[in-house]
Amino acid sequence: YIGSNNKDFTVNNCLFEHNAGSGVQAAWSSFGNFPSNFSITGCLIQYNRADAIDLNNTGTLIDANIVINSNNMKWNGWGNEDESGTNGTNDGSGIATLIKLKKVTITNNVVYACYRAGLYIKDSYDIVATGNIINKTNTSVGEGIYVDTGFIVFISNNSISVPETLPSFKLYSLSSNTMVNVSNNAQKDILVIGKIIIVINVQIIV
């Protein structure tokens, strides 16, 4: 748990497992200033009942300056806290849930068998996701990467494997001031709901 008003720190080479909530949870803004200027690197985050990393800013959009790099996330979002692939919960993003954050970089993370979206982005700005590997199981729900009312989001060079019934990307409720750059990803398909300014160089692999 990362408490309010914390900043300028690194979480490195840690193990987070078998938590009733998320593996790493940042405090909501109602408790103070949302944590900022930190990195989470080289961690193993597994068998947690909610998200691998939950960065849900409940206040106004902030300059977060967060780096999530080279972490291994497995089997998050399952109520049984095991590898049975049953009893999914209401949470369970693979890499992280990002809400109302600016300046977050997500690189070289490996996700296996998360219950919900491999990466969930909502109401956020200047998000970069590159070089991540997301693999979902046949009993997972949600998308490989989900973007809802994001502002500027760059998603490139990720490998995304999802069941045939699920989209690799879901771009939802995007407005006229939104720019989403999706390029050079190994993916199955893209489900678009809303208006997109830029979606380029998409490689479709069925």
Side-chain angles (χ1 to χ4, degrees):
Y1 181 84
I2 302 173
S4 298
N5 306 317
N6 283 293
K7 60 182 181 179
D8 302 323
F9 61 91
T10 298
V11 179
N12 185 44
N13 292 331
C14 296
L15 171 64
F16 301 97
E17 65 179 359
H18 296 293
N19 289 291
S22 297
V24 178
Q25 173 74 59
W28 292 357
S29 295
S30 56
F31 297 106
N33 295 322
F34 193 83
S36 61
N37 302 318
F38 66 89
S39 62
I40 300 174
T41 63
C43 297
L44 176 58
I45 306 174
Q46 61 184 3
Y47 309 125
N48 301 289
R49 293 192 180 188
D51 306 318
I53 300 173
D54 189 3
L55 304 178
N56 180 2
N57 172 26
T58 56
T60 58
L61 185 70
I62 64 163
D63 282 329
N65 295 308
I66 297 170
V67 173
I68 301 172
N69 177 58
S70 298
N71 300 286
N72 191 350
M73 293 91 159
K74 301 188 297 182
W75 294 100
N76 292 299
W78 303 93
N80 292 347
E81 300 180 28
D82 59 20
E83 298 183 7
S84 64
T86 58
N87 194 21
T89 69
N90 291 328
D91 261 319
S93 59
I95 300 175
T97 292
L98 311 177
I99 300 178
K100 294 183 181 177
L101 301 176
K102 292 173 65 176
K103 299 179 182 176
V104 181
T105 301
I106 302 158
T107 55
N108 302 321
N109 300 283
V110 178
V111 173
Y112 184 73
C114 59
Y115 181 58
R116 294 191 179 270
L119 174 61
Y120 182 98
I121 302 167
K122 182 174 182 179
D123 296 328
S124 294
Y125 176 89
D126 196 7
I127 307 299
V128 176
T130 63
N132 301 288
I133 299 173
I134 298 171
N135 292 302
K136 296 174 67 66
T137 68
N138 289 331
T139 53
S140 296
V141 300
E143 306 75 26
I145 297 179
Y146 176 92
V147 181
D148 183 348
T149 56
F151 298 104
I152 298 179
V153 180
F154 294 93
I155 301 169
S156 65
N157 299 311
N158 300 282
S159 175
I160 301 170
S161 175
V162 298
E164 291 185 0
T165 56
L166 301 177
S168 295
F169 291 90
K170 184 174 181 179
L171 310 177
Y172 181 78
S173 189
L174 303 182
S175 62
S176 59
N177 65 344
T178 298
M179 180 174 72
V180 177
N181 180 333
V182 180
S183 60
N184 300 322
N185 298 281
Q187 65 206 244
K188 180 169 61 71
D189 55 19
I190 297 177
L191 174 61
V192 178
I193 303 175
K195 182 177 181 180
I196 300 175
I197 302 303
I198 298 178
V199 176
I200 62 172
N201 298 333
V202 175
Q203 178 187 5
I204 304 295
I205 299 178
V206 178

